């Protein structure tokens, strides 16, 4: 992409309404624009990152055997009356009436709709286990939307639903989700700690939240610091293997780690004093096993091998896709701007032309731009007639992990400068070597789609 032809409405001034770094930087880097309280338009740069997050979520869901689909944002109130949540959900539920006077709602979550689909089509244990998921916009009429996309009213969520014949089978689905979530967040360069939590209006008592430590987080957490030494890495997981998933769950959940709602001071005191931590964190996901609550209320039963009809066991599992952008920026920025992890960056590298209009420098930039694209990389070429300082400031703010600077002096010597955003380290090398270095560095799975 050539910056002169892109739409990147960078702001020079820090917007007064933004209280935390991620909100400030998303506005300044031209990623989002507020459309209403807690409602945002995703401008091209923000949209690219959002799609990269979605891509990782889809890949990890499908690796775990979960099946993608898409349900609508608007739902019929009648389904929610069946489950009893139409009245129970309270003011966060956005209620709408259509021209025929029918009560509708903008879905804050989808347990009812998915249970309705299930009961219409699945009748036998032979069709289980089944896990369906989608990535769709949700609406919750939050009393105090704030921190940009972190607590919006309209937000993007991955929500998945498992259907199993027994509690035992459903608990395996729960463990499988926990394992796949660990891997999902780690691929985004985030440490998201599973913590024992409360279930809220969804119901049930088996639930973990995934929390990213951050001073600006809205959740208070208590944990054993030994937990932060754990990494998922690239271990091979067989998601059908009950023993293996349980072992990984135990490894990641056996230490003390709880949100303030489930905190138990006596149990916390058992953690060696030097490892006790009290901190703030951002909730980026939650998994639930709630048994037969919705199946009973809505008549979703299946026939067992013995011919009995039993309510299906269910769980639901959510990832805050749009909130993740805020959480990732909170964890990855400095005073000059964002620093994207390579797995999510909107462009693989920036090319800065130090003397736009100089024939040889322009030609060197064009050749480099073509060489990167030929390797499947997606560079952002700053070909504007701006000062070098302004170009550097823009690149630093939008946070591309690598910058290649091309100027007349380097061109005369046959080199470009490759700079690493996170460490600030620079190296002069011939342009083809820089292109090769970047192509090696981005694994094929990290090559983003082209617009
Ligand atoms: P919170 O406690 O932050 O209000 P929640 O527990 O009500 O969230 P869940 O029902 O668990 O939310 O939804 C799954 C995920 O969706 C959350 O873990 C969070 O990452 C995300 N999410 C929930 N509410 C919002 C919101 N208002 N804006 C952005 N993301 C949200
Ligand atoms: Mg939650």
């Amino acid at each position: 992409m050539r910056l002169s032809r892109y739409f990147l409405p960078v702001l020079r001034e820090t917007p007064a309404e933004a209280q935390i770094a991620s909100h400030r930087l998303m506005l300044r880097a031209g990623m989002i624009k507020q459309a209403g309280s807690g409602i945002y338009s995703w401008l091209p740069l923000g949209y690219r990152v959002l799609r990269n997050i979605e891509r990782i979520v889809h890949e990890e869901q499908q690796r775990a055997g979960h099946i993608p689909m898409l349900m609508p944002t608007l739902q019929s109130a009648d389904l929610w009356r069946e489950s009893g949540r139409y009245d129970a959900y309270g003011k966060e539920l956005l209620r709408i009436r259509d021209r025929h006077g029918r009560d509708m709602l903008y879905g804050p979550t989808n347990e009812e709709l998915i249970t309705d689909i299930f009961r219409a089509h699945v009748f036998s244990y032979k069709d289980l286990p089944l896990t369906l998921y989608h990535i769709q916009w949700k609406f919750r009429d939050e009393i105090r939307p704030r921190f940009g996309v972190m607590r919006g009213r309209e937000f993007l969520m991955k929500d998945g639903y498992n259907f199993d014949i027994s509690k035992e089978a459903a608990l395996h689905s729960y463990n499988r989700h926990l394992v796949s979530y660990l891997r999902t967040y780690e691929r985004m360069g985030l440490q998201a700690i599973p913590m024992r939590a409360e279930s809220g209006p969804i119901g049930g008592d088996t639930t973990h939240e995934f929390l990213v430590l951050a001073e600006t987080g809205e959740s208070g957490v208590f944990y054993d610091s030994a937990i932060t030494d754990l990494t998922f890495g690239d271990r091979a997981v067989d998601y059908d293997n009950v023993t293996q998933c349980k072992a990984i769950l135990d490894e990641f959940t056996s230490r003390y780690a709880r949100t303030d709602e489930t905190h138990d001071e006596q149990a916390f005191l058992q953690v060696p004093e030097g490892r006790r931590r009290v901190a703030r964190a951002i909730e980026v996901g939650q998994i639930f096993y709630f048994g037969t609550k919705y199946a009973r209320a809505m008549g979703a039963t299946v026939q067992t091998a013995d011919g009995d009809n039993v309510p299906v066991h269910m769980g639901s599992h959510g990832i805050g896709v749009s909130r993740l952008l805020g959480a990732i920026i909170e964890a990855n920025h400095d005073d000059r701007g964002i620093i994207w992890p390579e797995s999510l960056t909107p462009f693989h590298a920036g090319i800065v032309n130090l003397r736009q209009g100089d024939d040889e420098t322009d030609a060197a930039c064009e050749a480099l731009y073509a060489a990167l694209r030929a390797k499947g990389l997606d560079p952002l070429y700053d070909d504007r007639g701006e000062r070098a300082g302004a170009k550097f400031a823009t690149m630093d703010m939008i946070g591309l992990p690598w910058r290649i600077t091309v100027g007349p002096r380097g061109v005369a010597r046959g080199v470009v400068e490759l700079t690493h955003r996170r460490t600030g380290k620079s190296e002069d090398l011939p342009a083809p070597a820089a292109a090769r270095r970047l192509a090696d560095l981005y694994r094929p799975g990290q090559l983003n789609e082209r617009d």
Side-chain angles (χ1 to χ4, degrees):
M1 182 62 66
R2 292 165 198 277
L3 191 45
S4 62
R5 296 196 201 149
Y6 198 45
F7 182 65
L8 185 70
V10 165
L11 303 181
R12 300 227 178 284
E13 306 294 324
T14 300
E17 75 269 24
Q19 301 162 28
I20 63 170
S22 56
H23 188 194
R24 230 166 14 238
L25 288 167
M26 286 183 80
L27 291 170
R28 287 200 61 199
M31 297 177 66
I32 51 170
K33 180 176 186 314
Q34 188 171 356
S37 170
I39 305 177
Y40 290 87
S41 297
W42 293 80
L43 305 183
L45 193 76
Y47 181 53
R48 272 186 178 243
V49 182
L50 190 67
R51 281 205 342 216
N52 288 336
I53 293 178
E54 283 187 63
R55 176 175 48 79
I56 292 180
V57 170
H58 273 301
E59 283 173 12
E60 293 307 326
Q61 283 301 302
Q62 288 169 53
R63 196 197 298 273
H66 306 160
I67 304 170
M69 62 179 297
L70 187 59
M71 289 175 269
T73 53
L74 294 184
Q75 303 181 22
S76 144
D78 286 340
L79 276 180
W80 285 63
R81 291 196 176 104
E82 279 190 57
S83 73
R85 282 208 296 182
Y86 190 63
D87 295 322
Y89 214 93
K91 289 193 169 173
E92 277 193 13
L93 189 63
L94 182 66
R95 295 152 212 259
I96 302 161
R97 184 159 294 165
D98 75 7
R99 66 196 298 166
H100 305 292
R102 280 185 290 249
D103 290 330
M104 318 268 298
L105 56 95
Y106 194 129
T109 174
N110 283 53
E111 282 79 8
E112 286 78 359
L113 203 50
I114 198 82
T115 307
D116 184 50
I117 292 169
F118 182 89
R119 71 181 171 185
H121 299 290
V122 183
F123 304 100
S124 164
Y125 72 95
K126 289 180 191 154
D127 297 322
L128 302 182
L130 177 66
T131 296
L132 299 167
Y133 79 93
H134 72 163
I135 298 181
Q136 177 62 293
W137 295 93
K138 303 290 184 287
F139 197 96
R140 294 182 187 174
D141 205 349
E142 300 272 356
I143 188 159
R144 210 149 79 90
R146 57 182 183 155
F147 301 157
V149 301
M150 205 81 96
R151 182 165 299 283
R153 293 199 297 163
E154 189 187 49
F155 60 96
L156 191 58
M157 196 205 283
K158 170 259 153 183
D159 44 323
Y161 305 86
N162 66 285
F163 299 91
D164 288 278
I165 192 69
S166 63
K167 176 170 185 180
E168 189 189 11
L171 287 176
H172 171 60
S173 294
Y174 183 89
N175 299 351
R176 194 179 63 230
H177 274 90
L178 189 137
V179 173
S180 78
Y181 276 27
L182 290 170
R183 185 172 186 140
T184 303
Y185 296 118
E186 207 166 288
R187 276 188 66 188
M188 298 177 191
L190 278 182
Q191 181 163 49
I193 305 172
M195 299 200 184
R196 205 190 288 180
E198 272 204 333
S199 64
I202 295 203
D205 54 9
T206 304
T207 179
H208 282 88
E209 283 182 357
F210 287 78
L211 289 127
V212 174
L213 299 172
E215 280 166 27
T216 52
E218 292 186 276
S219 309
V221 297
F222 299 78
Y223 65 98
D224 175 346
S225 68
I227 218 166
T228 56
D229 297 337
L230 294 172
T231 54
F232 193 81
D234 54 4
R235 41 180 117 188
V237 178
D238 171 1
Y239 284 100
D240 292 330
N241 185 324
V242 172
T243 316
Q244 189 190 18
C245 289
K246 175 80 169 72
I248 298 174
L249 174 121
D250 288 344
E251 180 185 345
F252 281 84
T253 61
S254 59
R255 309 254 184 214
Y256 192 93
R258 298 194 191 183
T259 62
D260 45 15
E261 294 156 338
T262 54
H263 176 58
D264 171 351
E265 191 63 23
Q266 281 311 313
F268 190 48
L269 290 174
Q270 306 302 308
V271 177
E273 194 176 355
R275 300 208 315 244
R276 275 178 235 149
R277 298 284 184 279
V278 181
R280 309 290 306 167
I282 302 166
E283 180 195 333
V284 292
Q286 188 164 8
I287 56 176
F288 304 88
Y289 162 68
F290 47 70
T292 55
K293 174 179 166 172
Y294 295 90
R296 281 180 197 278
M298 297 180 64
T301 59
V302 277
Q303 197 165 58
T304 66
D306 302 332
D308 299 332
N309 266 321
V310 297
V312 69
H313 286 257
M314 290 173 63
S316 68
H317 314 273
I319 293 181
V321 173
S322 50
R323 178 180 287 182
L324 270 168
L325 266 109
I328 289 160
I329 296 173
E330 287 299 319
N332 296 280
H333 71 272
D334 61 16
D335 50 10
R336 288 177 295 145
I338 303 167
I339 308 171
W340 290 115
E342 269 141 11
S343 59
L344 296 175
T345 184
F347 294 96
H348 295 109
I351 301 174
V352 169
N353 184 335
L354 288 181
R355 195 169 301 163
Q356 203 74 42
D358 171 68
D359 286 348
E360 282 175 24
T361 313
D362 288 357
C365 285
E366 290 295 336
L368 177 61
Y369 182 63
L372 291 170
R373 287 168 64 90
K375 291 190 184 300
L377 297 169
D378 202 358
L380 180 67
Y381 171 21
D382 191 346
D383 59 344
R384 300 169 305 161
E386 294 273 344
R387 290 176 302 110
K391 291 187 174 185
F392 288 147
T394 300
M395 281 298 174
D396 282 349
M397 171 137 74
I398 67 172
L400 309 185
W402 297 92
R403 185 184 79 207
I404 307 177
T405 309
V406 184
R409 251 179 290 160
V411 169
R413 283 169 47 222
V415 295
V416 297
E417 183 190 53
L418 181 64
T419 306
H420 190 220
R421 172 72 178 82
R422 195 176 288 277
T423 58
K425 285 204 178 114
S426 287
E427 188 184 339
D428 285 351
L429 71 181
R436 263 199 312 277
R437 176 86 62 86
L438 291 177
D440 288 346
L441 203 135
Y442 285 102
R443 283 177 285 132
Q446 295 181 349
L447 298 183
N448 305 336
E449 289 167 54
R450 289 265 173 73
D451 297 295

